[in-house]
Amino acid sequence: MPTRQKFDHELEELRANILEMGNLVNQQIALAVSSLINQNLELANSIVVKDLDLNDLQAIIEEKCILLIATQQPFARDLRKLVAGFKISIYLERMGDLSVDLAKVTIRIGQDELIKPLVDIPRMSALVQEMINIGLKAYINEDCGAAAEMALMDDEIDKIYSGVFGELRTIMMEDPNKVTQANYLLFASRFLERLGDYCTNIAEEIVYICNGKRMDLNE
């Protein structure tokens, strides 16, 4: 197989690995929030175990990127694709860790009655999952416009988080007996806010692939 054709084939395999990892992260986040809403401890524990698969995928992607850079010595856009792919895999692995943190909130709350209906946390989760879907398509298609759209969605997540923070702080001030669970729910909303930030980081890598510029989309 000619060198260029071989490189393109291996690059497609790398994209497929990143797509698989992103879809798994999305599933983990959805299940983690579902476990919290339904107080499903068995589901929460399964998310913790499943995180090992994400770690394995990230290690595979890292090894492929290093090997391709070492053996093919790519430059310009080809090099950017590998550097960005490696960094995206790191962000996805961290997002997987945050989904585990979300699941652990479920475990810590256990079967205690929830102090409030969980409305905003599912909204934040839905936005994060949509950002991931857009980001994966933008990565495959090298679509800078879609990457910029992700940053705008993160602003909406930040607004929801601000509202949740204020609501939970009020609950804690009014009823000291609810402080512990309110803190757990605050952690959960903070984890989702961080997930939105990581999605924006992924968007920045897509922009880097497209034009070689490093942009801060979190501003």
Side-chain angles (χ1 to χ4, degrees), residues 163-191:
V164 172
F165 182 88
E167 181 185 9
L168 289 172
R169 183 176 61 180
T170 299
I171 289 173
M172 286 188 279
M173 291 173 64
E174 292 178 348
D175 189 346
N177 293 321
K178 296 179 179 179
V179 167
T180 298
Q181 188 184 128
N183 271 317
Y184 287 147
L185 294 177
L186 190 58
F187 290 149
S189 59
R190 174 59 176 162
F191 297 149

Side-chain angles (χ1 to χ4, degrees), residues 12-147:
E12 283 302 313
E13 286 187 346
L14 178 65
R15 286 197 187 102
N17 288 143
I18 290 174
L19 191 61
E20 180 184 359
M21 191 175 183
N23 287 329
L24 182 54
V25 167
N26 222 355
Q27 182 183 44
Q28 287 279 88
I29 294 167
L31 292 175
V33 172
S34 176
S35 77
L36 180 57
I37 293 169
N38 299 299
Q39 296 183 269
N40 187 330
L41 302 185
E42 183 179 354
L43 178 58
N45 281 301
S46 73
I47 292 161
V48 176
V49 174
K50 190 70 175 176
D51 187 58
L52 295 174
D53 292 343
L54 278 173
N55 295 340
D56 290 343
L57 263 174
Q58 198 281 322
I60 290 170
I61 291 167
E62 179 177 346
E63 185 176 352
K64 281 186 177 180
C65 288
I66 292 171
L67 186 62
L68 283 171
I69 290 172
T71 59
Q72 302 297 321
Q73 298 183 338
F75 58 92
R77 196 180 185 95
D78 287 338
L79 179 58
R80 295 202 301 272
K81 289 177 183 178
L82 293 176
V83 171
F86 172 58
K87 291 190 71 175
I88 288 171
S89 75
I90 292 174
Y91 294 137
L92 288 172
E93 193 273 333
R94 290 174 182 170
M95 291 170 77
D97 290 342
L98 285 170
S99 70
V100 169
D101 291 336
L102 276 167
K104 288 180 179 178
V105 169
T106 301
I107 294 167
R108 290 183 179 120
I109 291 175
Q111 298 300 319
D112 293 347
E113 182 179 356
L114 294 174
I115 59 174
K116 66 179 291 294
L118 299 186
V119 176
D120 292 318
I121 284 175
R123 284 176 60 207
M124 294 174 74
S125 175
L127 283 167
V128 167
Q129 290 171 251
E130 187 177 355
M131 287 178 76
I132 293 172
N133 286 330
I134 292 172
L136 292 175
K137 290 177 184 176
Y139 168 68
I140 296 299
N141 298 322
E142 298 177 17
D143 184 347
C144 276

Side-chain angles (χ1 to χ4, degrees), residues 143-162:
D143 184 347
C144 276
E149 180 184 343
M150 290 169 66
L152 294 176
M153 294 174 69
D154 186 44
D155 290 340
E156 181 63 23
I157 292 174
D158 291 341
K159 289 177 184 176
I160 297 172
Y161 172 68
S162 180

